[in-house]
């Protein structure tokens, strides 16, 4: 888990020898996060990538987008990806996205370790409208492994529209040409 950018936390919910890792297979870049479900025989292993907290207090129409790549191993050995949101510092989590097996797949079923090509990525967009106006939003990606195949995540983005632009307010004394002017910041 040492590859993760600052602020992203990995939570290992199962087999301590398997974890999210950095892959050199990325979607239009040099890398992505991967969970090697192909190498895990721990049925039901659940491991998370947790993003830093976000303040959506002044944001409308927030959306989470990310790229995913996955090929199912077989009908009896397929994995699931969930996205969960918390507004109470992680005490409880609400599922906002779940796909597994064929609905998660971006490539044909294969029984060898999956490594995506450039055409085997899909972009997912999740509306977070119900969290707009909330000052403490935490987001988690959860891999639910079933000894299937490798799952890749890349290009995670949180977008939205600022509901109000900052307002700058200044006052100044009347001055003559060539005289210095002193400003007082009266911004809220």
């Amino acid at each position: 888990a040492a590859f993760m950018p600052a602020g992203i936390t990995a939570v290992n919910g199962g087999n301590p020898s398997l974890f999210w890792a950095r892959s050199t297979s990325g979607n239009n870049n040099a890398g992505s996060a991967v969970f090697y479900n192909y190498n895990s025989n721990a049925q039901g292993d659940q491991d998370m990538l947790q993003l830093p907290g976000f303040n959506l207090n002044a944001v409308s129409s927030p959306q989470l987008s990310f790229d995913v790549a996955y090929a199912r191993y077989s009908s009896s050995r397929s994995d699931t990806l969930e996205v969960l949101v918390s507004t109470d510092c992680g005490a409880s989590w609400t599922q906002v996205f779940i796909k597994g097996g064929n609905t998660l797949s971006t490539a044909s079923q294969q029984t060898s370790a999956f490594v995506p090509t450039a055409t085997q990525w899909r972009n997912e967009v999740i509306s977070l409208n119900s969290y707009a106006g909330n000052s403490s939003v935490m987001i988690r990606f959860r891999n639910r492994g079933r000894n299937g195949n490798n799952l890749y995540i890349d290009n995670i983005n949180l977008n939205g529209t600022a509901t109000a632009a900052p307002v700058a307010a200044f006052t100044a004394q009347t001055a003559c040409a060539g005289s210095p002017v002193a400003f007082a910041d009266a911004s809220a």
Side-chain angles (χ1 to χ4, degrees), residues 38 48 53-54 57 67 69-70 73 76 83 92 98 105 107 111 119:
Y38 181 82
M48 281 72 67
F54 297 100
N57 196 34
D67 297 332
Y70 175 75
Y73 182 91
S76 62
V83 177
S92 63
I98 184 169
S105 291
T111 55
T119 61

Side-chain angles (χ1 to χ4, degrees), residues 31-164:
S32 65
V34 60
F35 195 90
Y36 293 112
N37 290 304
Y38 181 82
N39 297 325
S40 172
N41 62 2
Q43 295 287 327
D45 191 21
Q46 297 186 22
D47 295 271
M48 281 72 67
L49 286 179
Q50 185 170 306
L51 305 182
F54 297 100
N55 182 346
L56 301 180
N57 196 34
V59 177
S60 67
S61 304
Q63 291 183 329
L64 176 71
S65 65
F66 61 95
D67 297 332
V68 63
Y70 175 75
R72 184 175 84 158
Y73 182 91
S74 70
S75 61
S76 62
R77 289 175 53 186
S78 64
D79 311 291
T80 301
L81 176 65
E82 292 177 283
V83 177
L84 308 162
V85 175
S86 176
T87 57
D88 58 8
C89 297
S92 63
W93 294 89
T94 301
Q95 182 185 85
V96 295
F97 173 93
I98 184 169
K99 286 188 179 179
N102 282 335
T103 59
L104 180 60
S105 291
T106 61
S108 300
Q109 181 172 298
Q110 66 184 63
T111 55
S112 58
F114 173 63
V115 178
T117 66
T119 61
Q120 293 175 320
W121 289 90
R122 178 180 63 235
N123 183 256
E124 297 283 356
V125 179
I126 303 166
S127 170
L128 298 177
N129 280 338
S130 57
Y131 301 97
N134 194 301
S135 63
S136 178
V137 177
M138 296 170 68
I139 299 170
R140 256 186 190 175
F141 290 83
R142 177 163 56 192
N143 170 72
R144 290 187 357 207
R146 303 279 307 159
N147 191 212
N149 220 323
N150 302 333
L151 170 63
Y152 298 80
I153 299 174
D154 202 2
N155 301 318
I156 300 169
N157 291 289
L158 182 63
N159 298 304
T161 304
T163 55

